[in-house]
Amino acid sequence: MKICARYLLTPEGFLRDRTVHIQDGVITGIGPAVQDADVTCHTCVPGLIDQHVHGGYGADLMASDADKILNWLRFLLKNGVTQVLAGIYTFPIPVMRKAMQVVREVMNLQSEGAGGAMLTGIHLEGPFISHGALGAMDDRYVLAPTVDNYKALSEGFEDIIRLITIAPEEDADELIGYLTKKGVPILAGHTAATVEEGVHAFELGVGGVCHFFNASTPIHHRKPGILTEGLLNRNVYCECIADFVHVHPKAVELIYRMKGADRMILVSDAVSTTGLPDGEYIEENGTRVIVKNGESRTPEGNLNGGSSLSLQDVRNMIKIGVPRADAFHMASKTPASFLRIAGGRIIPGARAEILCLDENDMPICTVLGTQEVRA
């Protein structure tokens, strides 16, 4: 297969008039433009990686069956997302474990050729969070961040847990140390940690901040909090829901200016009601949600998830003046680096994870391995 692009995004930036050569799902080379390409596009970028997503368009990773989740993953692939982590959030341990079992089922089906954006593993967003920074989580299901509680939750699924969000101030040092030794990336999130507790957490091995600014103590000039250290510590990664609903465009720009493309990660935080028409919905797990003007909220008015897909968040970054290469890298190369997984780079020898776009950054075609999906 040959993909010819006017602009091709490589790890070093955009190259003009290049062809990506693919054989058996692997990139075999990058060369000059050709006339006999299988796909011709304006822009060619790495497939997008969403490390923080809970579902969308009616599919719920906490409650849907494998077939419904696979249909959603096929929809994501059509829209340029090639890898996702399944966001399993704070609920009773049996409910979370049941959801993780379905994730494993989907991963097994994909290994047998089921298709769609690749479900790479699990992101545990809880239950080890702060009672004082719940966001849309249910206080009843929050647990102390002990190693024993983690083992009770994760037993049998340790091999597919790729990321975990923890409130580090909740006596979490032992669990952070345990996870760090196992190589599991950790985000500080749903946290009321002070700046001093933040410094300590990042020294222990916490590597990033979950959906920056959301469900965390705000920055205050006399009580700066963990978010301040997240911005100042050059090694810390910061997730951002760049739908311009969760975070004001100027605050999004602040994260970018402080962290740069190598440490800012774009995430959708999409939920089952993301993408559905305005109205009132009862999610499959029984949660009542109201969608109005595309925003998904609890009856109390709290945002319960992102309002757009990853590609729209990239477009939003470009709208506020972020260089195109940086905007796309923050949704591909940077999360791959943080998670220490393959992907996010168009280089010879890599698995083909490629998004082809027109001049308006609308999808034309997505390639993932041997899958080729036209928009």
Side-chain angles (χ1 to χ4, degrees), residues 111-310:
S111 70
E112 297 168 1
M118 184 165 55
L119 197 52
T120 302
I122 289 168
H123 169 198
L124 290 176
E125 191 179 358
F128 311 118
I129 61 175
S130 169
H131 292 278
L134 293 167
M137 303 289 187
D138 193 320
D139 188 63
R140 295 173 296 173
Y141 310 133
V142 173
L143 293 179
T146 66
V147 172
D148 285 345
N149 280 342
Y150 175 75
K151 287 181 177 179
L153 174 62
S154 66
E155 183 181 4
F157 300 105
E158 298 94 337
D159 60 319
I160 59 172
I161 293 173
R162 303 277 186 256
L163 179 63
I164 183 167
T165 291
I166 296 175
E169 74 275 16
E170 299 291 330
D171 295 323
D173 285 15
E174 183 181 7
L175 180 56
I176 291 169
Y178 176 84
L179 293 167
T180 299
K181 287 180 181 177
K182 288 184 169 293
V184 179
I186 306 169
L187 296 172
H190 290 271
T191 173
T194 65
V195 68
E196 292 82 8
E197 289 167 330
V199 169
H200 178 65
F202 297 135
E203 287 176 346
L204 280 181
V206 173
V209 179
C210 179
H211 47 42
F212 202 90
F213 286 126
N214 294 113
S216 296
T217 302
I219 293 174
H220 186 279
H221 60 289
R222 286 191 294 273
K223 296 179 180 179
I226 191 172
L227 296 184
T228 302
E229 180 61 15
L231 290 177
L232 292 174
N233 188 323
R234 66 183 61 188
N235 295 317
V236 171
Y237 290 80
C238 294
E239 286 188 346
C240 180
I241 310 170
D243 58 3
F244 294 167
V245 175
H246 279 74
V247 185
H248 189 280
K250 284 294 182 182
V252 172
E253 184 181 354
L254 172 64
I255 302 173
Y256 172 71
R257 287 179 178 269
M258 290 295 295
K259 305 306 299 186
D262 289 336
R263 288 295 183 273
M264 182 176 179
I265 298 172
L266 299 184
V267 298
S268 73
D269 197 19
V271 291
S272 65
T273 47
T274 300
L276 296 182
D278 285 3
E280 185 173 319
Y281 297 89
I282 303 296
E283 295 182 314
E284 290 178 274
N285 60 27
T287 303
R288 180 168 163 251
V289 176
I290 298 167
V291 178
K292 185 176 181 180
N293 299 324
E295 300 175 13
S296 186
R297 296 179 182 268
T298 66
E300 296 75 28
N302 294 324
L303 287 164
N304 82 316
S307 59
S308 58
L309 298 178
S310 295

Side-chain angles (χ1 to χ4, degrees), residues 8-130:
L8 170 67
L9 183 57
T10 70
E12 292 73 38
F14 277 107
L15 302 177
R16 186 164 177 168
D17 297 324
R18 291 293 191 274
T19 299
V20 182
H21 297 265
I22 302 168
Q23 185 172 350
D24 298 325
V26 176
I27 299 170
T28 57
I30 296 172
V34 297
Q35 298 296 319
D36 60 341
D38 301 284
V39 179
T40 300
C41 60
H42 183 272
T43 306
C44 181
V45 299
L48 308 183
I49 299 171
D50 195 349
Q51 70 177 40
H52 192 144
V53 60
H54 305 284
Y57 291 82
D60 184 350
L61 284 160
M62 288 296 298
S64 295
D65 61 23
D67 286 342
K68 193 167 185 177
I69 291 171
L70 280 168
N71 284 335
W72 169 70
L73 291 170
R74 295 182 187 109
F75 172 81
L76 287 185
L77 186 62
K78 195 173 182 179
N79 285 274
V81 178
T82 52
Q83 292 192 60
V84 296
L85 292 187
I88 305 300
Y89 55 88
T90 304
F91 252 84
I93 282 181
V95 177
M96 296 179 74
R97 286 182 57 82
K98 183 178 179 181
M100 288 192 280
Q101 181 57 48
V102 176
V103 170
R104 185 183 289 284
E105 181 184 349
V106 171
M107 292 176 70
N108 288 339
L109 289 169
Q110 288 193 316
S111 70
E112 297 168 1
M118 184 165 55
L119 197 52
T120 302
I122 289 168
H123 169 198
L124 290 176
E125 191 179 358
F128 311 118
I129 61 175
S130 169

Side-chain angles (χ1 to χ4, degrees), residues 279-354:
E280 185 173 319
Y281 297 89
I282 303 296
E283 295 182 314
E284 290 178 274
N285 60 27
T287 303
R288 180 168 163 251
V289 176
I290 298 167
V291 178
K292 185 176 181 180
N293 299 324
E295 300 175 13
S296 186
R297 296 179 182 268
T298 66
E300 296 75 28
N302 294 324
L303 287 164
N304 82 316
S307 59
S308 58
L309 298 178
S310 295
L311 183 54
Q312 181 58 49
D313 292 346
V314 172
R315 294 190 199 104
N316 286 346
M317 298 301 293
I318 295 169
K319 286 179 185 176
I320 62 172
V322 171
R324 289 171 57 78
D326 283 0
F328 282 107
H329 278 322
M330 289 187 286
S332 57
K333 185 177 78 167
T334 307
S337 297
F338 172 60
L339 296 170
R340 299 188 287 277
I341 59 175
R345 294 166 174 82
I346 298 176
I347 55 174
R351 177 178 57 218
E353 294 188 42
I354 296 172

